[in-house]
Amino acid sequence: MALRPVQLNIKAVDGPAVGRFWAQALGWNLFRPGVTTYVGPSAELVWPDPLGVGIDIVPVPEPKTATKNRVHLDLASTSAAHQAELVARLKALGATPVDVGQGDGVPFTVLADPEGNEFCVLEPREIHRDTGPIAVMVVDCADPRAMARFWGEAVDWPLHEVTDDHALFRSPEGVGPYLEFLRTPDVKTVPDRIHLDLLPYPGDDKEAEVARLRALGAVDLDLGQGDVPWTCLTDPEGHEFCVLAPS
């Protein structure tokens, strides 16, 4: 039994507009399979995509508050020139510079998408040379070692590194982005605007997987979702995530 991260779920007032931004930003494709807007690396809608973690943009009426998201993306670059070109292109698409307390002299650039969701354009790093456009999915946390214990049991992605400052996972196939739990001083005060969606493997029992997560410390979450085929939970630090129904 195992679960795999298959997409990031982003809430947006204008889902199609945010989807267009991210499709152009990543050089990926945009699909409208229903009320949501899906952005993925394949030329057709393949869910889950075997080579990457997609982005599912869900329309909501509430705009993002001024509070910094506790989940964000780090984008990869291949050279200093590519990083500068990427930042310029993203600004032309509607991204804006944002100060999240990063200070002066950092080698990465912090931007926000058209609805204020923060992300970083990283300087070239050898570890990210084969991730694709998304280098890392970053989750702020208080205790990376505790997150490593929970998420190491929750998903089938191997743990590559864990310290007091971060825990780093990647898919067992060694493709796509890393998942990083990064120690930060700020605390969670509002529901996550961005969260992970997990998927059981074909033939696995979703309810058994959900029960396993509860035994690990996950807690049921009621967002007013009603009777839906997925299950909403929170991890031991309160980060929301969903377990989807296998197709």
Side-chain angles (χ1 to χ4, degrees):
M1 297 174 67
L3 293 164
R4 51 200 161 141
V6 291
Q7 63 187 23
L8 275 181
N9 184 297
I10 300 178
K11 298 179 177 68
V13 174
D14 189 343
V18 173
R20 286 191 296 272
F21 170 83
W22 282 106
Q24 292 174 306
L26 301 173
W28 284 1
N29 296 280
L30 183 147
F31 307 92
R32 295 294 305 281
V35 297
T36 68
T37 302
Y38 184 80
V39 176
S42 295
E44 58 183 340
L45 181 58
V46 178
W47 185 85
D49 190 284
L51 298 179
V53 175
I55 298 175
D56 196 39
I57 298 105
V58 178
V60 296
E62 307 86 5
K64 182 182 181 292
T65 68
T67 304
K68 180 176 76 72
N69 286 336
R70 290 182 62 78
V71 181
H72 74 265
L73 293 177
D74 284 348
L75 304 189
S77 68
T78 57
S79 67
H82 177 232
Q83 182 187 19
E85 180 276 330
L86 181 55
V87 168
R89 185 169 66 81
L90 291 166
K91 289 179 179 176
L93 291 173
T96 53
V98 63
D99 184 356
V100 294
Q102 69 269 26
D104 297 327
V106 295
F108 52 87
T109 300
V110 185
L111 301 171
D113 74 11
E115 290 203 4
N117 299 300
E118 303 87 358
F119 65 96
C120 297
V121 181
L122 300 180
E123 75 284 2
R125 300 180 186 181
E126 177 62 22
I127 192 175
H128 302 147
R129 61 183 174 81
D130 60 353
T131 59
I134 300 176
V136 192
M137 301 176 292
V138 183
V139 182
D140 293 350
C141 70
D143 187 345
R145 292 188 184 276
M147 291 292 94
R149 289 191 292 271
F150 174 83
W151 286 93
E153 294 288 340
V155 300
D156 70 342
W157 285 21
L159 179 65
H160 280 242
E161 182 177 321
V162 60
T163 69
D164 289 342
D165 292 321
H166 80 151
L168 196 64
F169 295 86
R170 198 182 190 194
S171 78
E173 292 82 11
V175 298
Y178 289 85
L179 172 62
E180 181 178 28
F181 293 88
L182 183 67
R183 185 168 64 88
T184 57
D186 50 318
V187 297
K188 189 175 188 294
T189 59
V190 298
D192 292 331
R193 193 81 177 173
I194 303 174
H195 68 255
L196 278 171
D197 285 342
L198 310 180
L199 185 70
Y201 282 87
D204 284 353
D205 185 333
K206 180 180 82 74
E207 294 309 317
E209 286 292 329
V210 170
R212 185 174 67 84
L213 292 171
R214 291 184 185 123
L216 292 172
V219 176
D220 287 284
L221 176 67
D222 185 359
L223 296 169
Q225 65 267 25
D227 186 15
V228 292
W230 60 87
T231 300
C232 300
L233 300 166
T234 61
D235 73 10
E237 285 200 10
H239 300 106
E240 295 95 343
F241 66 96
C242 294
V243 180
L244 307 177
S247 56

